[in-house]
């Protein structure tokens, strides 16, 4: 039985879900949400904080500040509370209400940007506010998850080796692209290992990360309005772009089978299934997709019928895979 003294000491690293019974196609979902931050971001947060402490940038008088749409903000809130740091999270109005409340419960000051920048959208507006805070007081320390190399190194040293140990015959790995820290850490690891693993990035339509046109995005987590500095596309073998309605459908399909995952995970699952059906139909591969988060923080969005209708309308979400989920949801609300 593990005994810990700090929340970042605990993370379930070896849990996988075989999605064959749910999706009719075998691939394994590496579940990263079972820790005290509820997402894969705890690894990057811990690595970035520890590096800043070692370098002397972060001291007891410092104020952590970070731009986050949610999961990294919660992870830093957990660590800041444990270590006694003041933390200011700069987010925007797409951040789930449950996520904001969680950060505030942990003692974080949450600043919400309400207007996007003309270039770069909400992410650029968040960056502008963070830079203004840092310029106003040298005590602010911005870890900058979008450019901090310890973001990808955390996954190079932990996530990727764990997958390699569990699946020595791995053929393809699907990784969501947000800051691209998880993607770059895993892609670099498998490139350096010399193993013939195809690394597929999964992004959301409307993200500019891989050169697509910027469009409004309502599900926080993956995607970016500004190309991440961490990204080196030469390490990525392929990219799948997933429309948000497909993200919602994937989340609902998983929930109908008892697996309540978050929006980022829904995007990765939808992208993995799309790629496998298009590139390797009928072929048995050893495939793994990384599930960044769980679903509790999305109960008011991707699992809320009224929110879905308001954002996407009914027609875009009509899908035979949703029939059973809709029936069960209607019965539960009767």
């Amino acid at each position: 039985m593990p005994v810990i003294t700090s929340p970042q000491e605990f993370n379930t690293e070896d849990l996988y879900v075989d999605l064959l019974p749910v999706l009719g196609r075998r691939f394994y979902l590496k579940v990263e949400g079972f820790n005290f931050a509820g997402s894969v971001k705890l690894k990057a947060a811990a690595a970035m904080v520890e590096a800043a402490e070692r370098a002397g940038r972060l001291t007891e008088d410092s104020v952590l500040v970070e731009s986050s749409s949610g999961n990294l903000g919660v992870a830093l809130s957990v660590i800041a509370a444990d270590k006694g740091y003041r933390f200011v999270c700069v987010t925007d109005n797409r951040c789930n209400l449950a996520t904001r409340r969680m950060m505030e419960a942990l003692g974080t000051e949450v600043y919400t940007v309400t207007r996007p920048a003309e270039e770069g959208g909400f992410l650029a507006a968040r960056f502008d506010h963070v830079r203004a805070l840092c310029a106003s007081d040298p005590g602010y320390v911005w870890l900058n998850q979008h450019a901090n190399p310890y973001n990808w190194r955390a996954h190079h040293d932990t996530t990727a080796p764990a997958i390699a140990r569990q699946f020595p015959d791995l053929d393809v790995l699907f990784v969501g692209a947000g800051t691209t820290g998880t993607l770059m850490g895993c892609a670099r690891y498998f490139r350096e290992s010399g193993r013939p693993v195809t690394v597929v990035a999964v992004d959301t339509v409307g993200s500019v990360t891989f050169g697509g046109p910027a469009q409004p995005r309502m599900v926080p987590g993956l995607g970016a309005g500004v190309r991440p500095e961490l990204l080196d596309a030469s390490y990525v073998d392929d990219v799948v772009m997933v429309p948000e309605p497909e993200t919602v459908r994937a989340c609902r399909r998983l929930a109908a089978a008892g697996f309540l995952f978050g929006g980022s995970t829904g995007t990765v699952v939808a992208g993995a299934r799309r790629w496998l059906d298009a590139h390797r139909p009928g072929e048995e591969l050893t495939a793994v997709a990384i599930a960044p988060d769980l679903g509790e923080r999305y109960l008011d969005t991707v699992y809320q019928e009224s929110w879905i209708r308001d954002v996407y309308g009914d027609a875009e979400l009509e899908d035979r895979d949703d029939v059973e989920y809709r029936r069960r949801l209607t019965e539960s609300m009767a």
Side-chain angles (χ1 to χ4, degrees):
M1 180 180 68
V3 176
I4 64 172
T5 58
S6 296
Q8 60 268 28
E9 293 174 16
F10 174 77
N11 185 68
T12 300
E13 189 73 86
D14 57 355
L15 177 62
Y16 295 82
V17 177
D18 182 352
L19 291 180
L20 177 62
V22 181
L23 301 179
R25 180 77 195 238
R26 168 159 282 135
F27 62 97
Y28 301 95
L29 198 57
K30 186 179 192 303
V31 181
E32 289 281 355
F34 288 103
N35 56 53
F36 284 94
S39 81
V40 71
K41 290 289 189 176
L42 186 62
K43 296 175 181 177
M48 291 189 295
V49 167
E50 290 166 6
E53 289 173 334
R54 288 194 303 269
R57 291 182 58 219
L58 191 56
T59 69
E60 60 182 14
D61 297 322
S62 301
V63 180
L64 278 170
V65 60
E66 186 57 73
S67 162
S68 172
S69 62
N71 285 337
L72 193 277
V74 172
L76 282 175
S77 296
V78 167
I79 294 171
D82 172 62
K83 291 176 174 284
Y85 293 122
R86 180 184 161 201
F87 172 43
V88 178
C89 182
V90 180
T91 188
D92 60 64
N93 55 16
R94 298 170 302 173
C95 179
N96 296 323
L97 177 60
T99 299
R100 292 200 299 270
R101 287 178 172 172
M102 187 176 299
M103 289 190 284
E104 290 169 345
L106 291 162
T108 294
E109 301 168 42
V110 180
Y111 180 88
T112 303
V113 171
T114 57
R115 298 185 57 154
E118 290 187 10
E119 294 290 333
F122 280 108
L123 181 58
R126 288 177 0 214
F127 284 172
D128 288 343
H129 188 76
V130 171
R131 292 188 184 103
L133 285 177
C134 292
S136 71
D137 187 336
Y140 283 101
V141 175
W142 182 19
L143 298 176
N144 194 357
Q145 61 167 328
H146 293 265
N148 193 316
Y150 287 94
N151 185 346
W152 69 259
R153 286 176 182 168
H155 301 288
H156 180 277
D157 296 343
T158 60
T159 309
I163 295 170
R165 288 191 299 270
Q166 186 71 29
F167 296 95
D169 57 346
L170 181 66
D171 293 306
V172 57
L173 176 66
F174 299 94
V175 190
T179 65
T180 69
T182 310
L183 173 64
M184 285 292 94
C186 292
R188 287 174 183 271
Y189 176 88
F190 282 108
R191 180 70 60 83
E192 292 165 6
S193 73
R195 293 174 54 175
V197 175
T198 299
V199 176
V200 179
V202 182
D203 200 3
T204 183
V205 170
S207 168
V208 305
T209 298
F210 293 97
Q215 297 177 24
R217 292 173 290 110
M218 297 305 297
V219 179
L222 300 186
V226 177
R227 191 178 190 271
E229 292 182 46
L230 294 179
L231 177 64
D232 183 343
S234 69
Y235 286 92
V236 179
D237 297 302
D238 206 351
V239 179
V240 180
M241 303 298 295
V242 177
E244 284 192 341
E246 286 191 25
T247 291
V248 175
R249 283 199 292 269
C251 286
R252 292 152 63 99
R253 182 90 183 269
L254 291 166
F259 296 107
L260 193 71
F261 284 107
S264 296
T265 298
T267 302
V268 174
V269 168
R273 188 183 183 195
R274 176 187 280 213
W275 191 92
L276 289 168
D277 288 346
H279 293 79
R280 304 292 178 88
E283 185 176 347
E284 284 299 321
L285 296 174
T286 300
V288 171
I290 297 177
D293 55 0
L294 301 179
E296 292 89 342
R297 298 169 202 172
Y298 296 81
L299 295 178
D300 293 328
T301 54
V302 298
Y303 294 107
Q304 176 58 251
E305 287 281 292
S306 59
W307 183 89
I308 293 169
R309 285 196 301 270
D310 289 344
V311 174
Y312 306 110
D314 291 326
E316 288 188 89
L317 291 173
E318 289 297 338
D319 183 76
R320 64 179 181 274
D321 294 338
D322 293 334
V323 171
E324 179 63 14
Y325 181 86
R326 285 175 177 270
R327 182 188 67 79
R328 290 169 54 185
L329 184 64
T330 301
E331 289 177 355
S332 70
M333 297 174 65

